[in-house]
Amino acid sequence: MSENIIETDAIERDAVEQIPNEEAASEYVIEMRNITKSFPGIIANDNITLQLKQGEVHALLGENGAGKSTLMSVLFGLYQPEEGAIYKNGQLVEINNPNDANALRIGMVHQHFKLVEIFTVLENIILGVEPNKLGFLQKSEARRKVTELSERYGLKVEPDALIEDISVGMQQRVEILKMLYRDNEILIFDEPTAVLTPQEIDELMQIMRNFTQEGKSILFITHKLNEIMAVADRCTVLRKGKYMGTVDIADTTKEELSRMMVGRQVSFEVDKEEQNLGDLVLDVQGVTVPSKLHKGNSVKDVSFQVRKGEIVCLAGIEGNGQTQFVHALTGLEKMSQGSIKLCGQEIAKANVRNRSKWGMSHIPEDRHRHGLVLDYTLEENLVLQRYWQPQFQKGGLIKFKAVRDYAWKLIEQYDIRSGQGPVTRVRSMSGGNQQKAIVAREIDKDPELLVAVQPTRGLDVGAIEYIHKQIVVQRDAGRGVLLVSLELDEVMNVSDRILVMYEGEIVGEFDPKTTTVQELGLYMAGARRQGQAEEVTEEVQGA
């Protein structure tokens, strides 16, 4: 660690121009002073100062593309700033790469996981810090420590499972355990709850509090104002790469934070007209999908229908078969039995392209694996499923001007922020703007059925408001919408009908107007299922 400490002279101290709170430097475990970081066509961080106190949860809030992840990547050594300095416990430090950050006991849980998919959970956690004796890997020792950490913090994982075979939520747990395994004292969480269930989010909030009680300090990037109000001590707000201010959470409100973040008043309610149900658009009967992790089935005899003009939500805790069901529905995975009809046409054996051509759009759960080609440009990704149509090709040759014009239309309509417009490599865009690109592409296809899996994951409140409106517009235009969400606020506000899935089965159907979050929670946790609940009620009344 001492190799990273640099003595600070009086000239350097005088050069520091903007510090939001003029207090003794030693009060802060981390100070990022006047950080500026640029990419082609955009200044991601424009003279930003951030100060983290010992033992606090400090939230970093901002709309998509505001520069939050970039700022934390500078602290973790993934990027080098053009201007500014970083101090740890009052001493200037150099962080040229993540190894320097780890040496300073700075750890980061990335929004887009840094995992090797063909390695096991255990191998990913210990990668780079493998325990060895005389050059031989001591896996049993590592397994003991990982098991101990997972039990201590309620982060249950299967050490021998391959990363490519586990859910996104489980991958998130692996990322957190990687950081804990390295005994870091400054913990950066970049959108850590984006893939977690409400119960898991509550557990993570408690884990964060426990961390601070142990003397750790946390930088917490999130778009979710409820989480900031629940767990953070202070919050720094960024907007379009600029510092907007730091506030004490005890002295502010969600409405004020949202105004600081997007520069306008944001509505937290979803306005919907009364339903106007039409013909059947999706008919699922007896769908069963075998599990890749065990000998049983991950989806068991699932049946339901979606009509035109309604939003049906498939809700449930991560890992209860929703992912596998959606993969079977959209053609990404084979089912062992059952029937799927789209507008009366059997599609169970159709490939992904034909399902798309016949009227299905899919906003996938994992935007990197199934939603985008990261090394393609934004305009190429926006026409991925339509480039063969006459609008975009003639005689087998791409009409590049038509593609460019179409990309600009979606960029402006959906406020997709990218440094170089349509020619930006998608890999370089923020996660929220990658998500907006997928949502724009799938909704603009004018589908008969929109399958939207976590459509607002990683989006700021302004973008969430817009996407919810777009989903309701699809419903009001007579399309069917199957929404798969872990966000209970989204489930209750957006859907017309709720189906709860537990252990691969539909265990309840609800009207959001007449049910409660608490009741849904009981079904999602498996404590109750329709049929059983009625039998219990009859027994109690009979007694």
Side-chain angles (χ1 to χ4, degrees), residues 102-328:
N102 281 320
L104 292 164
R105 302 186 72 183
I106 300 171
M108 184 170 181
V109 175
H110 301 270
Q111 180 183 6
H112 299 129
F113 309 139
K114 309 293 184 182
L115 300 172
V116 183
E117 293 197 347
I118 59 172
F119 281 12
T120 65
V121 166
L122 179 63
E123 290 165 346
N124 270 276
I125 291 172
I126 67 175
L127 188 61
V129 289
E130 300 89 344
N132 70 86
K133 188 174 183 180
L134 300 176
F136 292 95
L137 180 63
Q138 303 295 302
K139 258 192 176 181
S140 58
E141 179 185 331
R143 183 185 298 273
R144 178 192 56 75
K145 183 174 179 180
V146 169
T147 301
E148 183 181 290
L149 287 170
S150 66
E151 291 175 354
R152 178 180 174 185
Y153 293 108
L155 298 165
K156 185 179 179 182
V157 293
E158 173 50 58
D160 296 317
L162 294 177
I163 294 298
E164 63 184 359
D165 291 334
I166 65 176
S167 69
V168 177
M170 285 294 177
Q171 292 179 33
Q172 173 70 276
R173 294 183 183 187
V174 175
E175 281 282 17
I176 295 173
L177 285 169
K178 275 174 61 179
M179 187 168 60
L180 296 176
Y181 186 85
R182 286 155 177 78
D183 300 319
N184 291 312
E185 61 183 25
I186 297 157
L187 313 179
I188 305 168
F189 287 87
D190 189 356
E191 299 287 354
T193 64
V195 295
L196 301 182
T197 66
Q199 290 87 342
E200 289 171 331
I201 290 171
D202 290 340
E203 291 171 3
L204 182 60
M205 298 296 105
Q206 186 57 52
I207 288 169
M208 286 185 177
R209 296 186 193 99
N210 293 342
F211 284 159
T212 58
Q213 290 171 6
E214 294 175 2
K216 299 181 188 295
S217 304
I218 295 175
L219 284 162
F220 175 36
I221 303 175
T222 183
H223 295 103
K224 300 177 182 177
L225 299 174
N226 287 335
E227 295 171 6
I228 291 178
M229 301 303 293
V231 77
D233 300 298
R234 293 191 300 150
C235 178
T236 291
V237 182
L238 306 183
R239 190 197 306 164
K240 295 183 179 179
K242 295 183 180 294
Y243 172 81
M244 303 305 296
T246 299
V247 297
D248 290 325
I249 295 303
D251 301 328
T252 192
T253 63
K254 286 197 305 180
E255 289 72 21
E256 179 57 31
L257 288 174
S258 68
R259 277 195 296 271
M260 289 178 69
M261 177 170 61
V262 300
R264 62 177 176 83
Q265 188 69 40
V266 176
S267 173
F268 294 96
E269 299 296 325
V270 178
D271 294 325
K272 291 192 301 182
E273 301 291 334
E274 286 298 316
Q275 283 181 268
N276 183 18
L277 290 176
D279 296 336
L280 202 62
V281 63
L282 177 67
D283 187 8
V284 175
Q285 297 296 327
V287 167
T288 299
V289 181
S291 172
K292 292 182 178 180
L293 297 178
H294 52 75
K295 293 182 179 179
N297 294 315
S298 55
V299 179
K300 306 166 187 174
D301 194 28
V302 165
S303 301
F304 67 89
Q305 297 176 327
V306 179
R307 308 190 78 85
K308 293 183 178 182
E310 74 169 335
I311 301 170
V312 176
C313 181
L314 193 60
I317 294 173
E318 180 85 30
N320 278 278
Q322 307 97 308
T323 298
Q324 291 78 12
F325 171 77
V326 170
H327 285 181

Side-chain angles (χ1 to χ4, degrees), residues 434-446:
Q434 291 175 352
Q435 184 75 357
K436 282 197 271 187
I438 296 171
V439 170
R441 180 186 68 205
E442 297 303 318
I443 288 181
D444 201 68
K445 282 165 56 184
D446 197 18

